[in-house]
Amino acid sequence: MANYSLKINGKSVEVDVDPNTPVLWVLRDHLNLVGTKYGCGIAQCGSCTIHLGDAAVRSCQLPVAVVGSQEITTIEGLSENGDHPVQQAWLEHDVPQCGYCQAGQIMSAAALLKNNPNPSDADIDAVMDGNICRCGTYVRIKQAIKTAANTQNA
Amino acid sequence: MTKIRTQYNRRSFIKISAAAGGGMLIGFSWLNACKPNAPEMAAGLPLPEEWYEINGYIKIGDTGLVTIYSPNPEIGQNVRTSMPMIVAEELDVPWDHVVVEQAPLNTGFYQNQFAGGSLSIRLSWNALRMAGATGRRMLLEAAAKEWGLGVADLNASEGVISEINGDRSISYGEIASNAVGIEIPEEVELKEVKDFKLIGTSQKNVDGKKIITGEPLFGLDFHRDGMKLAMIAHPPAFGMTVGDFNADEIKGMPGVDDAFVIDISIDEPAMFDEKGFHQLVAIVGESTWPLMKAKNALRVNWQTTGELESTAIHKKRLADALVNGQVQESRKDGNPEAAFRRAAKVIERTYNAPFIAHNTLEPMNFFAHVTADKAELIGPTQTPEALEGSVAKLLGMPIENITVNMTRIGGGFGRRLYVHFGLEAAAISKQIGGPVKLIYTREDDMTQGTYRPTYSSVYKAGLDENNNLIAFSVRGAGLPEGPVFPNRFPAGTIENYSAEKILAPTNVTTGAWRAPRSNFTAGAEQSFLDEVAELAGKDPIDFRLELFDRAINDPVGAEFDYDAERYAGVLKLVREKSNWNTPMEGVHRGVAAYFCHSTYVAEVFDMVMENGNPVIQKVWCAVDCGIVVNPDAAANMIQGGVVDGIGHAMYSQLTFENGSPREMNFDTYKLIRHSQAPREIEVFFVENEIAPTGLGEPGLPPAMGALANAMYKATGVRYYDQPFMGMERKVIG
């Protein structure tokens, strides 16, 4: 066990956990931030996507010991009131079915738009292929990403 | 005006009042006990100080805010929005005054509290309308009494009751307290379909905001102070059982409280008790990561008790079954053997599909708190009633002492019809004497069974010299259940017809997977008919419509399981909407239609070749599910079904070696991803006033056929073996 100071959603928190503990389980089990989901544990489904700095990363494969001073953003901290353009576009297109993967999809999409404000279909596919939606909402997700891009660039 | 007697429900209302003592039903909202669960939907209305229970579906606050209880499990089919919409329509209250709460399992009051068979809306349509209409009537009676008028002198609309010949009006919130205790009417009037204001309009998912902000909603998110976490380990192969294990070492690991073997076998298991492994190792601790490490350190002496099957064995068993297997169900019209002998052309094709797993993205999990005389279960289940019954058997406890509450469910697809994970949580809680949440790893989830069976079907057709279809036969085998529906299309359309459903044994456990049997048979049948139409030199839609004409005008045999007019209707609609008769340069098209779960769906796939690869540019869907409650959400379900159908036809399979599934996680088990989805899916609904049927399943089956048919047009290859991307045989057409 070891003590870690983490900066999550703009707040400093302390946790005492095994250094190998994936950030996913630190968030879910120790910090009561359960918006980040467990889906596969091997970085194949994207349900656990968070931001480390500006980059989207799979928190199930990110040991807490390597985070250091990098800022973590989770779905709970993406915006104050669910008003990030990507979240708003998700509501506009009524994307979710079961909803389980959507936090991860939104975090991947938000990082994509930060790095590439005008993504092509191929750009979207290249980034979003890491996020599985078992319900098959892919068409709506792509529409929502384009809507969010337009909102952001307006 | 439609009148429906409420006799049955009236008794039910009384029963719930008695049971709940004072008539208040407590909804299930575990993290928002003190506030409405969707405050943004109550915009403009202050939070009520008092709530009044009108009936088991409706609670009205003194400010006019209305709580509607959604009775069924929410697995992504959006019933938490559409079921309350039906109540709100008949109650006649503005939708933005409504908040939705999940009802608890209450078998004495609600009927059909399960999510399966695309049945939620279909089975509850009348009950939900009645609940709303009853509430409206009681509010009217309360206002009539208050003003000394008759109910006929009043009108109720948009949450306000007003005098027809006067100026007085009163809101539902103001009169609600007077409605409590009004006798449930014997008979209520339902609206005419043409007068619907809410049903038929697109309303957003009531949980949308919570989903996109990551609020705790799912079983895996459930937390109760003092609860432990638990994980299980099951045998690595079908045909194995648990022996002893390194319990002392595991119990000594950091973060592990206890480790033991549980047994969840019960007497007289029912359908939803299907389970590969009844004895499992359970490990209990405080948090997930140490439990995962402990699972990795487990050394169990697994005992081999049965055959360790392989995919090669499964294929041989299916092939043998097609020759001399046991027929479960069959149908025969005319004399197919003689007709095949005199046919000018005969075509025979074999279609295969592998075992597949449900792979809900939220792995199995459940919370249980078992005490000496009570058991509380909370989590994602499609069948809370079956769970309650099985837990009662497992614990030897009366059903009345067991409560089941439903969380939002991260995908169902049939997987959570099976209740074993709830029983496992109960067994662990009983052993440790406290509350516990059981969670599966992805590997636990994917390797423990209840798979879609593996299938093989042989289709044969005979054409006469004028290219009329005069003989048709299908023999379909499955492990352990055959895929054929003997009385479905094309039964009733062909003079000489034979269908046989054949079973063969396996010790791999199987279960209902989204659109059971249809999920294979639709693709096989619709691919085959495409080939038959081609052999006959006919347009594939015209060819099908000719068959439906026969079923409409002069059906063959005593009965068949579809309405040929509605079946033909969706084909005609998709033909019109997709401009089927106007070919487009470079666009390769395939069509399929299928009827299952009381809903008719036809799909056209437009495929283009890009860099030598087939790409699905657009999918056109025509759907007849009767009245559409929430059109945009309904379209979402069909779009999801199309994507799911493509994904499983193209990429997914579970193969076996020495009794073990080879694919254990999403690195080897392929699910469809963004870049493989169609670029556009447009959904058109047939407009009619028929009572609504379901949408959870019917979008999927035809997608597999339309996909194969479009791929043939694009590539010249017919696809017979799922997954198409791993197909062993390539037959150039």
Side-chain angles (χ1 to χ4, degrees):
Chain A
M1 304 291 268
N3 244 309
Y4 296 94
S5 288
L6 301 170
K7 196 159 184 200
I8 301 178
N9 299 332
K11 291 180 197 145
S12 294
V13 295
E14 304 262 329
V15 288
D16 184 19
V17 293
D18 177 302
N20 291 323
T21 307
V23 168
L24 169 66
W25 299 114
V26 173
L27 294 169
R28 292 187 59 87
D29 287 351
H30 301 278
L31 299 171
N32 198 27
L33 291 168
V34 295
T36 306
K37 301 301 190 214
Y38 166 70
C40 70
I42 58 167
Q44 290 292 313
C45 77
S47 301
C48 66
T49 305
I50 60 169
H51 295 173
L52 194 60
D54 286 343
V57 297
R58 313 298 179 213
S59 64
C60 74
Q61 288 286 300
L62 178 69
V64 65
V66 307
V67 172
S69 60
Q70 298 173 89
E71 272 199 47
I72 289 173
T73 307
T74 70
I75 186 71
E76 291 93 342
L78 183 63
S79 64
E80 195 70 36
N81 297 304
D83 49 8
H84 186 283
V86 171
Q87 289 169 309
Q88 287 301 303
W90 246 247
L91 291 180
E92 184 183 330
H93 290 274
D94 211 18
V95 170
Q97 287 187 27
C98 87
Y100 191 80
C101 74
Q102 299 296 349
Q105 305 275 0
I106 288 168
M107 295 308 282
S108 288
L112 162 69
L113 292 182
K114 196 155 198 175
N115 299 318
N116 180 355
N118 282 304
S120 66
D121 280 13
D123 295 337
I124 293 173
D125 284 344
V127 166
M128 299 303 292
D129 260 3
N131 288 76
I132 290 172
C133 173
R134 179 65 185 81
C135 299
T137 63
Y138 295 131
V139 175
R140 284 178 189 238
I141 288 175
K142 193 171 280 176
Q143 288 168 342
I145 291 173
K146 289 177 179 176
T147 296
N150 289 336
T151 312
Q152 261 185 349
N153 300 335
Chain B
M1 200 74 85
T2 314
K3 288 193 176 182
I4 288 195
R5 294 187 67 79
T6 62
Q7 283 277 332
Y8 175 77
N9 247 39
R10 187 173 166 217
R11 277 200 302 276
S12 302
F13 285 135
I14 291 163
K15 200 168 166 184
I16 182 113
S17 298
M24 281 299 285
L25 181 71
I26 309 301
F28 181 68
S29 63
W30 40 284
L31 286 154
N32 301 286
C34 302
K35 57 175 184 172
N37 66 352
E40 73 280 3
M41 293 184 62
L45 289 181
L47 298 186
E49 287 184 12
E50 295 287 341
W51 285 100
Y52 303 103
E53 190 82 11
I54 304 301
N55 60 41
Y57 289 89
I58 302 162
K59 187 171 74 172
I60 299 181
D62 54 16
T63 61
L65 198 60
V66 177
T67 295
I68 299 180
Y69 297 106
S70 184
N72 284 25
E74 172 62 68
I75 56 176
Q77 79 284 45
N78 209 21
V79 289
R80 265 172 64 86
T81 305
S82 54
M83 293 183 102
M85 278 176 73
I86 298 167
V87 178
E89 174 72 65
E90 294 286 355
L91 180 62
D92 214 324
V93 64
W95 181 240
D96 58 3
H97 292 183
V98 173
V99 292
V100 174
E101 275 188 35
Q102 184 71 49
L105 174 66
N106 188 323
T107 50
F109 180 66
Y110 303 109
Q111 293 129 45
N112 307 306
Q113 271 186 293
F114 67 91
S118 301
L119 286 167
S120 292
I121 296 290
R122 184 177 155 216
L123 292 184
S124 294
W125 171 245
N126 281 332
L128 295 166
R129 293 182 73 190
M130 224 183 323
T134 305
R136 181 171 175 273
R137 171 77 189 192
M138 290 162 74
L139 292 162
L140 277 167
E141 284 185 19
K145 206 169 158 188
E146 179 80 7
W147 292 337
L149 294 169
V151 166
D153 301 322
L154 305 178
N155 181 43
S157 177
E158 298 290 311
V160 176
I161 294 169
S162 49
E163 271 183 279
I164 292 170
N165 297 309
D167 296 331
R168 282 182 290 187
S169 69
I170 190 165
S171 74
Y172 284 7
E174 291 168 304
I175 197 70
S177 65
N178 298 25
V180 176
I182 294 244
E183 199 176 340
I184 307 273
E186 292 274 336
E187 209 168 59
V188 287
E189 290 172 349
L190 300 180
K191 287 184 179 177
E192 299 286 347
V193 172
K194 67 176 172 51
D195 295 327
F196 285 162
K197 290 181 283 191
L198 183 60
I199 290 171
T201 64
S202 290
Q203 301 298 331
K204 305 282 190 204
N205 188 326
V206 296
D207 291 325
K209 180 82 182 284
K210 290 179 167 190
I211 292 168
I212 59 115
T213 53
E215 282 196 40
L217 292 171
F218 300 92
L220 206 73
D221 306 339
F222 182 80
H223 178 80
R224 168 87 47 90
D225 283 346
M227 89 181 179
K228 302 283 188 186
L229 293 183
M231 294 194 125
I232 50 96
H234 62 68
F238 295 90
M240 283 188 175
T241 190
V242 71
D244 58 349
F245 70 101
N246 53 341
D248 290 341
E249 182 189 342
I250 298 298
K251 284 191 239 183
M253 290 182 71
V256 174
D257 294 348
D258 206 351
F260 44 86
V261 172
I262 56 167
D263 186 344
I264 59 150
S265 44
I266 56 173
D267 293 336
E268 296 169 25
M271 180 164 59
F272 297 133
D273 292 313
E274 180 77 28
K275 166 75 178 172
F277 312 106
H278 291 93
Q279 292 84 33
L280 311 106
V281 177
I283 310 174
V284 181
E286 299 290 335
S287 57
T288 312
W289 182 245
L291 291 176
M292 286 183 161
K293 286 175 54 169
K295 251 170 78 68
N296 286 337
L298 261 183
R299 300 290 173 265
V300 187
N301 292 311
W302 306 113
Q303 310 292 310
T304 301
T305 55
E307 186 181 8
L308 303 180
E309 299 175 2
S310 65
T311 294
I313 288 174
H314 294 148
K315 287 184 176 178
K316 181 166 188 318
R317 242 177 239 176
L318 282 174
D320 291 348
L322 285 171
V323 178
N324 52 22
Q326 182 191 339
V327 176
Q328 291 173 280
E329 267 182 71
S330 65
R331 170 180 175 131
K332 193 168 181 180
D333 297 313
N335 187 340
E337 296 81 7
F340 279 121
R341 278 196 299 273
R342 70 168 189 274
K345 297 177 200 164
V346 173
I347 177 172
E348 182 182 290
R349 296 287 185 262
T350 302
Y351 298 82
N352 297 303
F355 286 106
I356 49 178
H358 296 86
N359 287 324
T360 63
L361 213 48
E362 179 194 18
M364 296 309 106
N365 65 85
F366 231 82
F367 170 86
H369 188 191
V370 177
T371 59
D373 57 354
K374 278 195 286 199
E376 181 188 15
L377 286 115
I378 297 168
T381 174
Q382 292 179 243
T383 50
E385 187 177 354
L387 173 64
E388 184 183 63
S390 296
V391 168
K393 283 185 194 169
L394 179 74
L395 300 175
M397 222 179 245
I399 278 190
E400 307 80 76
N401 295 12
I402 294 162
T403 58
V404 178
N405 271 303
M406 294 159 265
T407 57
R408 189 177 184 85
I409 301 177
F413 315 108
R415 178 65 182 84
R416 291 184 233 259
L417 295 167
Y418 304 93
V419 299
H420 60 88
F421 40 91
L423 271 66
E424 290 157 18
I428 296 167
S429 175
K430 185 181 177 185
Q431 172 80 21
I432 65 170
V436 70
K437 183 172 74 179
L438 166 70
I439 63 177
Y440 275 34
T441 63
R442 174 56 55 195
E443 291 83 359
D444 295 332
D445 197 294
M446 204 181 289
T447 58
Q448 77 81 52
T450 66
Y451 306 125
R452 194 279 303 271
T454 178
Y455 296 124
S456 185
S457 288
V458 181
Y459 285 80
K460 190 173 168 187
L463 301 171
D464 68 11
E465 51 285 348
N466 297 317
N467 287 316
N468 295 310
L469 181 56
I470 56 167
F472 183 96
S473 74
V474 53
R475 281 173 67 77
L479 306 183
E481 185 198 23
V484 174
F485 298 91
N487 292 321
R488 284 193 182 171
F489 179 79
T493 71
I494 303 158
E495 202 71 48
N496 304 290
Y497 172 91
S498 146
E500 291 178 317
K501 176 186 172 191
I502 299 164
L503 61 82
T506 178
N507 64 9
V508 174
T509 62
T510 61
W513 192 102
R514 195 177 197 176
R517 294 188 280 152
S518 304
N519 59 41
F520 166 69
T521 289
E525 168 204 298
Q526 291 291 306
S527 300
F528 182 65
L529 287 179
D530 202 67
E531 232 176 313
V532 177
E534 186 182 42
L535 187 68
K538 293 177 182 174
D539 172 83
I541 293 182
D542 291 344
F543 175 71
R544 287 169 174 79
L545 291 176
E546 277 177 27
L547 296 176
F548 287 121
D549 279 345
R550 176 72 200 261
I552 292 165
N553 299 317
D554 182 21
V556 179
E559 55 174 325
F560 49 89
D561 291 348
Y562 56 91
D563 178 329
E565 300 261 12
R566 294 179 75 187
Y567 222 141
V570 289
L571 268 170
K572 288 175 184 169
L573 182 62
V574 86
R575 178 173 65 181
E576 175 204 327
K577 294 294 182 186
S578 69
N579 292 309
W580 175 261
N581 290 327
T582 311
M584 289 177 286
E585 184 70 28
V587 177
H588 312 281
R589 313 187 102 177
V591 66
Y594 204 68
F595 168 65
C596 65
H597 302 88
S598 308
T599 293
Y600 301 81
V601 182
E603 295 170 8
V604 166
F605 276 45
D606 289 357
M607 200 166 264
V608 295
M609 295 300 289
E610 286 182 5
N611 306 318
N613 296 314
V615 172
I616 306 163
Q617 182 170 267
K618 176 155 184 178
V619 178
W620 310 78
C621 308
V623 181
D624 184 350
C625 61
I627 293 164
V628 183
V629 176
N630 190 5
D632 188 51
N636 201 350
M637 285 311 304
I638 294 294
Q639 290 164 339
V642 167
V643 171
D644 198 4
I646 295 167
H648 285 89
M650 289 287 278
Y651 308 110
S652 308
Q653 66 177 332
L654 207 53
T655 59
F656 290 83
E657 194 169 17
N658 296 321
S660 301
R662 283 198 196 98
E663 296 78 14
M664 302 174 76
N665 205 327
F666 300 134
D667 49 349
T668 46
Y669 191 105
K670 300 297 180 192
L671 287 172
I672 189 168
R673 291 177 182 270
H674 278 269
S675 62
Q676 296 157 334
R679 292 189 176 144
E680 187 184 356
I681 305 172
E682 193 169 7
V683 184
F684 302 90
F685 291 97
V686 173
E687 286 183 29
N688 59 38
E689 294 192 355
I690 298 168
T693 54
L695 289 167
E697 285 153 300
L700 182 148
M704 294 176 160
L707 168 71
N709 297 338
M711 283 176 53
Y712 166 67
K713 291 287 186 186
T715 65
V717 178
R718 289 278 181 191
Y719 289 82
Y720 301 105
D721 301 335
Q722 294 182 17
F724 298 154
M725 286 298 94
M727 194 172 76
E728 290 164 20
R729 298 176 293 147
K730 279 208 163 53
V731 182
I732 307 298

